[in-house]
């Protein structure tokens, strides 16, 4: 993808692009780079078609019509669902044979982007094979691991600041792996640093808000270590921040269930990335559990989960000081 972006930034614009995948931020960034790179094109001059409602003939006709008052047209064919498995609910049947033929000689005065924001395309289809071969393909897949931290480093560099791989990982751990959210956090950090210098963990800690899930992980970890004072301190901080005991009980139970699943899958020989994908959770959460020597055995985890279920019922059916119910649980020996 970086090579394609470099070509775009250098003005090497292809006649046809295929943008596919679920990472919307990467799709949007590619389109913004194209708009910036093509002379005379602005956001309001982009021609858009919805391929679930528009026949492919309309896109081809528009592309082959000479542009007016500009050197090149920029056309986006959104929702190119004809590139994935057929759906009986589709409103129109696309003439993919015509498109296949047109791809051999696309318009020299237009750039057409076929946008297919789907997890998978059907590569058995002739038109999909043809598009993958004849168009410039950008696969906007979700970034993980080293690819994600590298992206954070590049994003920081684009904002004038530096960040080490370790600190980039810490930022991901704090903010999550959503690129749009990470991009916003990087922009905020760079603005705070006046666009110069190196990002440190202290700066990330200062500027990036923790999610309730992250604080609940810290709370659960302290509880598992038997550190009652630390556990109760974190709990009171969460209460002061407006978190409700019922919600916290639910989040803690979710963390315990995750521990149970990770423990079970680890015994079956699953690796960190496999577990994260199977459970559909952030790999970092799995990593922390796998590296935590304080995780109790399975029978104790199940007992804790049973106690939390009883606490949840009590919180929902009794009045009074509900904050005290969970606090007593933290004070009980594991």
């Amino acid at each position: 993808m970086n090579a394609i972006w470099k070509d775009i930034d250098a003005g090497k614009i292809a006649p046809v692009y295929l943008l596919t995948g679920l990472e919307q931020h990467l799709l949007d960034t590619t389109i913004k780079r194209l708009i910036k790179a093509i002379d005379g094109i602005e956001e309001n001059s982009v021609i858009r078609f919805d391929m679930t409602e528009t026949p492919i003939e309309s896109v081809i006709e528009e592309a082959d019509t000479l542009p007016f008052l500009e050197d090149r047209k920029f056309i986006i064919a959104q929702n190119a669902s004809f590139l994935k498995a057929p759906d009986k609910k589709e409103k129109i049947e696309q003439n993919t044979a015509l498109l296949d033929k047109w791809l051999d000689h696309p318009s020299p005065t237009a750039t057409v982007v076929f946008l297919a924001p789907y997890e998978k395309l059907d590569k058995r289809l002739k038109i999909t094979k043809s598009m993958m071969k004849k168009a410039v393909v950008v696969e906007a897949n979700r970034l993980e691991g080293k690819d994600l931290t590298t992206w954070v480093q590049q994003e920081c560099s684009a904002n004038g600041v530096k960040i080490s791989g370790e600190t980039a990982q810490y930022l991901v751990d704090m903010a999550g792996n959503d690129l749009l959210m990470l991009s916003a956090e990087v922009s905020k950090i760079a603005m705070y640093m006046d666009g110069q210098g190196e990002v440190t963990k202290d700066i990330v800690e200062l500027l990036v808000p923790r999610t309730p899930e992250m604080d609940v992980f810290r709370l659960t970890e302290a509880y598992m270590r038997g550190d009652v004072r630390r556990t109760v301190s974190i709990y009171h901080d969460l209460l002061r921040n407006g978190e409700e005991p019922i919600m916290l009980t639910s989040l803690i139970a979710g963390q315990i269930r995750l521990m149970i699943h990770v423990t079970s899958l680890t015994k079956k020989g699953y690796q960190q990335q496999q577990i994260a994908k199977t459970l559909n959770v952030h790999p970092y959460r799995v990593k922390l559990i796998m590296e935590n020597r304080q995780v109790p055995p399975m029978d104790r985890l199940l007992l804790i989960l049973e106690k939390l279920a009883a606490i949840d019922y009590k919180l929902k059916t009794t009045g009074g000081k509900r904050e005290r119910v969970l606090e007593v649980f933290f004070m009980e020996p594991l």
Side-chain angles (χ1 to χ4, degrees):
M1 181 181 297
N2 285 332
I4 296 172
W5 282 356
K6 284 181 181 178
D7 283 346
I8 292 173
D9 293 344
K12 299 176 183 177
I13 309 299
V16 183
Y17 289 86
L18 169 61
L19 274 54
T20 183
L22 295 176
E23 190 49 77
Q24 190 62 46
H25 184 68
L26 296 179
L27 298 175
D28 292 343
T29 299
T30 305
I31 290 173
K32 286 177 183 176
R33 284 176 181 256
L34 283 166
I35 292 173
K36 184 178 179 181
I38 300 174
D39 290 336
I41 294 295
E42 296 180 1
E43 183 64 41
N44 59 7
S45 62
V46 176
I47 302 167
R48 299 178 184 270
F49 293 97
D50 185 344
M51 301 314 297
T52 61
E53 299 178 350
T54 307
I56 197 66
E57 289 89 344
S58 298
V59 177
I60 292 174
E61 182 180 355
E62 183 65 50
D64 287 344
T65 303
L66 290 174
F68 180 66
L69 297 179
E70 53 194 25
D71 295 330
R72 193 174 193 86
K73 289 182 178 180
F74 186 58
I75 301 168
I76 299 178
Q78 301 175 147
N79 303 317
S81 56
F82 55 85
L83 297 172
K84 62 185 182 75
D87 188 344
K88 294 179 181 179
K89 296 180 181 179
E90 296 290 349
K91 295 181 181 179
I92 58 175
E93 185 174 344
Q94 296 289 6
N95 187 350
T96 55
L98 176 65
L99 175 59
D100 190 10
K101 186 177 180 181
W102 179 82
L103 287 171
D104 288 327
H105 304 285
S107 171
T109 57
T111 292
V112 182
V113 174
F114 288 90
L115 192 55
Y118 314 116
E119 185 175 6
K120 290 182 180 179
L121 301 183
D122 190 344
K123 295 182 180 180
R124 299 169 298 176
L125 297 174
K126 183 180 179 183
I127 186 58
T128 304
K129 291 178 182 177
S130 183
M131 186 72 75
M132 299 288 284
K133 181 180 178 181
K134 300 172 184 177
V136 173
V137 181
V138 174
E139 295 190 63
N141 299 318
R142 301 228 184 257
L143 301 182
E144 296 179 347
K146 187 70 166 62
D147 290 338
L148 185 55
T149 54
T150 299
W151 180 88
V152 170
Q153 289 177 294
Q154 292 172 344
E155 193 76 1
C156 282
S157 179
N159 281 268
V161 295
K162 298 178 181 179
I163 189 170
S164 68
E166 184 181 354
T167 307
Q169 181 62 61
Y170 187 65
L171 174 57
V172 171
D173 299 339
M174 290 285 288
N177 60 352
D178 181 87
L179 295 193
L180 188 59
M181 179 70 73
L182 282 170
S183 180
E185 294 298 341
V186 168
S187 296
K188 181 172 66 177
I189 289 169
M191 191 178 300
Y192 173 81
M193 297 174 64
D194 290 328
Q196 58 185 346
E198 181 163 354
V199 182
T200 64
K201 285 187 178 181
D202 287 341
I203 292 174
V204 174
E205 186 83 25
L206 175 67
L207 297 178
V208 179
R210 279 194 180 95
T211 63
E213 290 79 9
M214 195 70 180
D215 280 325
V216 165
F217 175 82
R218 291 167 55 238
L219 174 70
T220 308
E221 187 181 42
Y223 172 69
M224 292 299 180
R225 287 200 312 267
D227 189 342
V228 175
R229 182 176 295 181
R230 175 71 172 157
T231 304
V232 173
S233 174
I234 297 172
Y235 176 54
H236 286 168
D237 284 344
L238 288 166
L239 292 177
R240 280 192 289 270
N241 289 335
E243 306 296 348
E244 291 289 333
I246 291 177
M247 188 275 286
L248 291 175
T249 301
S250 176
L251 289 176
I252 295 167
Q255 183 66 23
I256 299 298
R257 280 193 293 271
L258 181 59
M259 289 180 180
I260 292 171
H261 290 314
V262 170
T263 301
S264 176
L265 291 173
T266 300
K267 288 180 179 178
K268 292 180 180 179
Y270 282 57
Q271 301 301 310
Q272 179 186 321
Q273 291 293 336
Q274 290 176 294
I275 295 173
K277 190 171 184 180
T278 301
L279 301 178
N280 194 29
V281 297
H282 194 289
Y284 183 69
R285 294 182 65 193
V286 176
K287 176 186 176 185
L288 290 177
I289 292 172
M290 292 178 74
E291 293 178 350
N292 188 353
R293 298 180 181 274
Q294 304 296 328
V295 174
M298 185 72 75
D299 58 343
R300 185 60 60 86
L301 288 172
L302 291 170
L303 180 60
I304 294 171
L305 200 58
E306 188 178 321
K307 286 184 178 181
L308 287 168
I311 289 170
D312 181 68
Y313 178 77
K314 189 172 182 179
L315 288 171
K316 291 175 179 176
T317 55
T318 59
K321 282 199 168 187
R322 294 190 295 179
E323 296 85 356
R324 182 66 179 161
V325 176
L326 199 52
E327 186 173 11
V328 170
F329 164 74
F330 292 138
M331 293 179 173
E332 292 174 350
L334 227 113

